[in-house]
Amino acid sequence: MTTTEKLEFKLGFDKVRTMLATRCSTSYAKEMALSFKISSSSEYIVKLLSQTDEMRVILMLENSFPDQGFVDAIPFLKQLEVESAYLDVPEITRLKQALDTVRSIVAFFKNTKEGSYPELKKLVEPVILFPEILRRIDSFIDKFGEIRDNASPELQHIRSQIREKESLISKRITSILKKAQAEGYAEEDASVAIRDGRVLIPVSSANKRKIQGFVYDESASGKTSYIEPMEIVELNNTVRELHFAEQREILKILVQFADFLRPYLAELMESSMFLCEIDFIRAKAS
């Protein structure tokens, strides 16, 4: 052990690091906690103690300071350094959450009276906000974290076709089942079955050849066969192709958004590091 390490051990500073790390929400703040070094600079120590004390007062007395939304966006922002990389929908949702939290923190300090929390205000002063990025995210991802239908004209068209075809499948399978019941191929109380995403009608095994389609399953007794009618197979194939087209269009939207973000990458990283630093200070105050 070095002299500093021996001192840290005697003071229990190693335990303090661990306690801090457990109170951090972000992985970057946890790393800051676990790598934190003892300092001999009185100026530096006073500054950090002041930051922590100011945050302690905020956590005790202020209700408008954010208590959630501390998201570590650094790992997935780093991915965008690779030209072909893009963020998936959950990552974009988390990025929005982080940017919203930064905006709330900045607004909090802007609205506090002059002279209060001076050290933390120094930290906040250079922080950049990204209203256009937030607006862009809101334009194609809804509050539930799903890609909006109108994220692009092409996506809207594809999803409209999917709904149309799925509605047609529902109507056609109901019609086929009623006809099978009328002709005595299916029980009166039979209903449409779904197996592995396939829409099937149950008919007596003795009559399974009377309906054009594929026998997909049988009951345990073998008396009932579950058939996917040929007409439904073709419609399902169309829907499957439309879903592939939907995924291709979503990928295109995500790639375009990644290209939009790249020029702001350095500033976004700084904003994310700021949020993690605030998270670290909150842990110390806690």
Side-chain angles (χ1 to χ4, degrees):
M1 274 190 177
T2 65
T3 304
T4 303
E5 285 171 340
K6 286 178 183 176
L7 176 62
E8 289 182 357
F9 181 75
K10 285 181 180 178
L11 291 173
F13 199 68
D14 53 334
K15 292 183 177 65
V16 173
R17 282 200 194 96
T18 304
M19 288 167 64
L20 274 178
T22 60
R23 284 164 170 77
C24 295
S25 300
T26 61
S27 55
Y28 188 82
K30 289 182 198 294
E31 289 171 17
M32 289 176 73
L34 293 172
S35 62
F36 199 67
K37 302 293 183 188
I38 283 181
S39 173
S40 59
S41 165
S42 59
E43 186 181 346
Y44 179 66
I45 292 168
V46 167
K47 183 182 86 168
L48 296 193
L49 285 174
S50 297
Q51 289 175 351
T52 304
D53 192 52
E54 288 173 14
M55 184 62 75
R56 181 184 63 83
V57 173
I58 288 170
L59 296 182
M60 286 173 60
L61 303 179
E62 304 280 6
N63 294 322
S64 57
F65 191 81
D67 60 357
Q68 57 186 3
F70 288 83
V71 173
D72 190 352
I74 296 168
F76 51 82
L77 284 173
K78 279 185 176 177
Q79 296 173 22
L80 293 181
E81 291 171 357
V82 178
E83 197 63 32
S84 59
Y86 62 90
L87 305 183
D88 61 24
V89 175
E91 286 169 341
I92 295 171
T93 303
R94 284 171 64 77
L95 174 62
K96 181 185 184 304
Q97 194 178 2
L99 294 177
D100 275 333
T101 306
V102 170
R103 182 169 60 177
S104 297
I105 291 169
V106 172
F108 168 82
F109 285 108
K110 187 177 180 181
N111 293 326
T112 55
K113 63 183 180 182
E114 194 174 342
S116 59
Y117 315 125
E119 287 298 334
L120 290 176
K121 281 182 177 175
K122 285 178 191 174
L123 270 183
V124 171
E125 213 171 277
V127 173
I128 298 171
L129 301 179
F130 300 92
E132 182 56 27
I133 291 176
L134 287 168
R135 189 204 62 76
R136 183 77 170 255
I137 293 172
D138 284 336
S139 74
F140 73 96
I141 294 181
D142 65 22
K143 63 181 179 180
F144 304 109
E146 302 290 339
I147 297 278
R148 296 181 186 275
D149 287 358
N150 62 353
S152 76
E154 180 63 18
L155 184 63
Q156 192 160 27
H157 175 66
I158 291 167
R159 286 185 172 174
S160 174
Q161 284 190 306
I162 289 172
R163 285 190 290 269
E164 183 184 311
K165 298 299 180 189
E166 286 177 340
S167 174
L168 182 57
I169 288 170
S170 177
K171 288 174 184 174
R172 290 302 301 139
I173 198 74
T174 301
S175 173
I176 293 167
L177 176 60
K178 282 181 179 177
K179 185 179 178 184
Q181 288 169 326
E183 294 175 352
Y185 305 151
E187 298 291 335
E188 284 299 317
D189 61 350
S191 58
V192 173
I194 307 290
R195 302 280 173 87
D196 300 327
R198 295 175 185 271
V199 187
L200 313 170
I201 59 169
V203 300
S204 62
S205 293
N207 293 310
K208 64 185 179 183
R209 301 298 174 202
K210 301 282 179 69
I211 295 175
Q212 280 192 322
F214 297 101
V215 177
Y216 188 75
D217 200 3
E218 277 188 346
S219 64
S221 64
K223 291 181 180 179
T224 303
S225 294
Y226 292 89
I227 296 177
E228 186 178 22
M230 184 64 72
E231 184 181 348
I232 301 302
V233 171
E234 292 169 359
L235 284 169
N236 270 334
N237 286 341
T238 301
V239 170
R240 200 170 290 116
E241 287 169 9
L242 284 168
H243 278 300
F244 288 144
E246 178 189 27
Q247 290 309 308
R248 286 194 299 272
E249 183 60 21
I250 287 173
L251 178 59
K252 181 180 171 184
I253 291 165
L254 296 180
V255 168
Q256 286 174 344
F257 180 66
D259 292 340
F260 167 75
L261 280 185
R262 263 189 201 90
Y264 307 102
L265 199 51
E267 290 87 354
L268 284 167
M269 290 286 281
E270 286 175 10
S271 179
S272 298
M273 287 176 186
F274 161 77
L275 186 59
C276 292
E277 188 171 2
I278 292 292
D279 181 32
F280 178 50
I281 295 169
R282 281 171 73 248
K284 289 192 288 181
S286 171

